[in-house]
Amino acid sequence: MGELGTNHLLGIKNISKDDIQLIFETADHFKEVINRPIKKVPSLRDVTIANLFFENSTRTRLSFELAEKRLSADVVNFSAASSSVKKGETLIDTVNNILAMKVDMVVMRHPNPGAGVFLSKHVNASIVNAGDGAHEHPTQALLDAYSIREKLGDVKGKNIVIVGDILHSRVALSNIFCLQKLGAKVKVCGPNTLMPKHIRSLGVEVEFDLKKALEWCDVANMLRVQNERMSTRYFPSTREYVAQYGLDKEKLNQLSKEIVIMHPGPINRGVEISSDVADSNHSIILHQVENGVAIRMAVLYLLASKMKHYKN
Amino acid sequence: MGKRILLNAEEINIILNRLACQLIEKHDDFKDTAIIGIQPRGVYLSDRLEKLITADYGLKKADFGKLDITFFRDDFMRGNKVLKANKTDINFIVEDKNVVLVDDVLYTGRSIRSALTAIQSFGRPRSIELLTLIDRRFSRHLPIQPDYKGRQVDAINDERVIVSWKENDGEDAVYIIQDNNG
């Protein structure tokens, strides 16, 4: 204990429970740091980090950038929309050119699954996956589990249901790995058309009835319907989706207990979750966002501590 | 490995009382004073001083806190040792306060340098002083000296000074340990 077992954070699947616990303990300290009058520490002042976003993002990108700046790292930003990628440059060329400018770490979001893994094998820098296609989004899973731990005391033994568009969701996959490693029971819930074919092989149960799923769970993580990734229609109409899988006050009030509501953002208000639920005190959505900065500071700090720049 | 005792429990007790009295002499009723133990080992000393000042001498106006300096250290990414953080507990503003930093052993001065930076995150103190139980002189890397010191020691570089506290180690004592490295 004390050091991460990995030089990159590419996904939750390949990191250990000890790594997750270490990230959480470190994040506890950074959460205290970001609530100080002066929220900055000098740890990473000689580290340069490139944020490469080949896909749109608001929260994750801002959160990483804030985390980097609060650790005093130098930050360069890159987004595919305004870059030479449009001129046909390959991923390795883009990244190697950026590394030639002496960058130590790369935070990357990419539409293709496995882009982070591919990069980690070809370039000499620490890689943090900020979402790769429908594959993994490890920091989101870490901050979700961290928020559950903060709200309920522990993740172990808790029942967590992930609701909605499981098929297109990297958040769902990383969450399943993370929560299971920490000893939680996980169910997924959503229309059959939005269930990956082999989801049960991960050891999760599939529930098609939202009411039953909510009655079973301690925490419901409501995922966004990812219209931009849908090439065909997966359900008859938005209205029908809302009726069956949208979470509103009425469905919550029918439950015999109180549950915690989460959402990784961005919210389609009135689709997967109604406004009154999203803004209610059951919801820890904004805590997730705050914890996101602390978790990302912890990840970057722990990865940087393995670089040992100055060792002979 | 050679081990000799430098201070026993009774001597430590006398020194703690003297240090508390020196603080009282300088800080009067502690109205604008914050006494801050440096994590991890300085906290035992600051807890003892807190007990002496508030319980035994009845002066209750001082603020007491704990400061972790891990993220402010200057040896990050430079060694094999992983820097593990401890809890910071400062629930007051240090702006315009007279801060007394408390640590068990002053050696190279680098921890204190980090603490001087770290404390700025909580405001701009009016003044900062340093109190240490043991002052290992002749081994400083930086121009930092204590304002209050328990005992000065001329330990050489391959010797280590270990401060034991009843709360954590079962006894109050200070040892000098000579490492046997051939």
Side-chain angles (χ1 to χ4, degrees):
Chain A
M1 181 89 175
E3 196 173 64
L4 284 182
T6 171
N7 292 321
H8 311 279
L9 182 66
L10 303 172
I12 302 291
K13 190 180 179 183
N14 294 318
I15 67 170
S16 67
K17 187 183 168 193
D18 284 347
D19 285 344
I20 297 173
Q21 298 286 9
L22 176 62
I23 292 168
F24 284 3
E25 282 165 30
T26 312
D28 285 340
H29 299 298
F30 283 120
K31 186 149 187 196
E32 184 269 318
V33 167
I34 59 177
N35 282 296
R36 289 178 188 174
I38 293 168
K39 300 164 177 59
K40 199 162 171 151
V41 295
S43 303
L44 263 59
R45 72 186 149 205
D46 28 22
V47 175
T48 308
I49 303 177
N51 297 318
L52 310 187
F53 280 73
F54 294 90
E55 202 180 75
N56 292 337
S57 163
T58 316
R59 227 167 322 273
T60 306
R61 184 179 175 154
L62 268 179
S63 181
F64 265 111
E65 194 172 338
L66 262 182
E68 289 152 5
K69 288 185 168 165
R70 296 212 158 137
L71 289 166
S72 304
D74 289 321
V75 180
V76 286
N77 285 304
F78 162 97
S79 70
S82 57
S83 72
S84 287
V85 173
K86 292 264 184 256
K87 301 176 191 165
E89 192 173 48
T90 66
L91 177 58
I92 291 184
D93 279 344
T94 303
V95 174
N96 270 331
N97 274 281
I98 291 168
L99 290 182
M101 302 175 205
K102 305 293 172 224
V103 169
D104 307 292
M105 293 175 103
V106 174
V107 174
M108 184 171 75
R109 167 164 292 188
H110 201 280
N112 295 340
V117 178
F118 173 75
L119 204 60
S120 70
K121 287 179 182 158
H122 290 92
V123 303
N124 184 25
S126 207
I127 312 288
V128 180
N129 179 5
D132 56 338
H135 180 221
E136 283 229 45
H137 190 354
T139 55
Q140 179 70 42
L142 290 167
L143 74 91
D144 286 346
Y146 183 81
S147 301
I148 294 170
R149 166 184 176 265
E150 183 181 71
K151 180 77 180 175
L152 300 177
D154 200 353
V155 178
K156 198 175 172 188
K158 298 291 183 292
N159 295 341
I160 290 137
V161 65
I162 303 171
V163 183
D165 182 357
I166 312 295
L167 183 64
H168 299 101
S169 177
R170 52 192 170 217
V171 175
L173 190 60
S174 287
N175 257 282
I176 290 167
F177 289 137
C178 189
L179 294 168
Q180 286 181 338
K181 282 183 190 206
L182 295 172
K185 271 177 269 170
V186 185
K187 277 188 187 179
V188 290
C189 177
N192 204 5
T193 48
L194 290 174
M195 281 297 158
K197 217 172 183 178
H198 300 290
I199 188 82
R200 288 181 181 84
S201 67
L202 296 175
V204 299
E205 278 182 50
V206 179
E207 174 64 68
F208 295 111
D209 185 337
L210 180 62
K211 272 183 201 160
K212 281 188 194 161
L214 294 176
E215 200 62 63
W216 169 83
C217 74
D218 300 300
V219 180
N221 197 349
M222 308 302 296
L223 301 183
R224 185 173 64 90
V225 176
Q226 303 198 31
N227 292 311
E228 77 277 15
R229 291 185 206 276
M230 295 182 186
S231 47
T232 57
R233 296 180 76 91
Y234 286 86
F235 41 83
S237 71
T238 301
R239 190 155 164 256
E240 186 159 334
Y241 183 87
V242 174
Q244 280 201 50
Y245 295 106
L247 185 61
D248 57 22
K249 253 276 127 67
E250 199 189 320
K251 284 180 187 141
L252 267 189
N253 288 340
Q254 286 170 8
L255 299 180
S256 55
K257 59 176 180 180
E258 291 203 348
I259 62 169
V260 177
I261 310 296
M262 301 173 71
H263 193 298
I267 304 175
N268 289 326
R269 280 177 185 260
V271 183
E272 65 269 4
I273 188 168
S274 67
S275 275
D276 50 358
V277 173
D279 302 330
S280 72
N281 51 13
H282 296 282
S283 141
I284 56 167
I285 295 171
L286 293 177
H287 293 114
Q288 289 173 263
V289 179
E290 182 188 346
N291 290 337
V293 178
I295 282 285
R296 289 177 176 117
M297 286 173 85
V299 167
L300 295 167
Y301 175 82
L302 290 167
L303 287 175
S305 72
K306 295 199 72 173
M307 299 200 306
K308 312 211 188 331
H309 269 193
Y310 303 93
K311 219 179 141 202
N312 298 323
Chain B
M1 195 175 79
K3 179 176 177 180
R4 64 192 164 90
I5 191 159
L6 181 69
L7 296 173
N8 62 29
E10 198 185 334
E11 289 165 321
I12 289 176
N13 187 37
I14 293 168
I15 288 174
L16 289 181
N17 273 284
R18 170 172 56 81
L19 290 172
C21 288
Q22 283 180 320
L23 284 174
I24 294 166
E25 206 169 25
K26 181 82 187 284
H27 291 263
D28 207 13
D29 66 350
F30 293 93
K31 186 163 63 70
D32 294 317
T33 300
I35 297 174
I36 294 173
I38 296 175
Q39 287 276 25
R41 309 276 316 175
V43 167
Y44 299 109
L45 178 55
S46 64
D47 282 350
R48 290 291 183 88
L49 290 170
E50 175 172 6
K51 191 175 160 291
L52 276 171
I53 290 167
T54 56
D56 298 9
Y57 293 100
L59 298 165
K60 301 192 189 298
K61 287 188 182 160
D63 286 316
F64 288 89
K66 300 176 172 69
L67 177 65
D68 184 69
I69 58 164
T70 307
F71 303 130
F72 294 85
R73 287 174 60 134
D74 59 6
D75 54 352
F76 185 62
M77 301 197 298
R78 282 166 173 83
N80 288 316
K81 209 175 70 185
V82 176
L83 308 176
K84 200 158 184 310
N86 286 288
K87 198 171 163 24
T88 289
D89 182 11
I90 296 181
N91 47 17
F92 47 84
I93 296 289
V94 301
E95 188 79 24
D96 252 355
K97 287 268 167 65
N98 297 308
V99 170
V100 182
L101 293 174
V102 176
D103 207 354
D104 60 348
V105 181
L106 175 60
Y107 181 35
T108 62
R110 287 177 188 268
S111 298
I112 305 303
R113 205 278 317 148
S114 306
L116 289 171
T117 315
I119 198 70
Q120 308 279 348
S121 299
F122 298 89
R124 177 182 181 270
R126 189 185 303 159
S127 67
I128 303 179
E129 291 176 309
L130 174 61
L131 181 152
T132 60
L133 182 64
I134 303 295
D135 170 21
R136 293 187 64 170
R137 57 178 180 168
F138 307 139
S139 51
R140 217 76 82 227
H141 295 176
L142 299 168
I144 284 170
Q145 310 303 338
D147 298 283
Y148 312 90
K149 58 186 170 232
R151 177 68 67 90
Q152 207 160 44
V153 183
D154 299 340
I156 50 173
N157 275 332
D158 59 353
E159 290 176 326
R160 284 182 297 137
V161 176
I162 303 290
V163 180
S164 300
W165 297 102
K166 210 159 43 190
E167 301 85 323
N168 190 56
D169 316 288
E171 59 162 352
D172 283 351
V174 180
Y175 294 101
I176 294 186
I177 292 174
Q178 169 101 51
D179 285 327
N180 242 352
N181 44 14

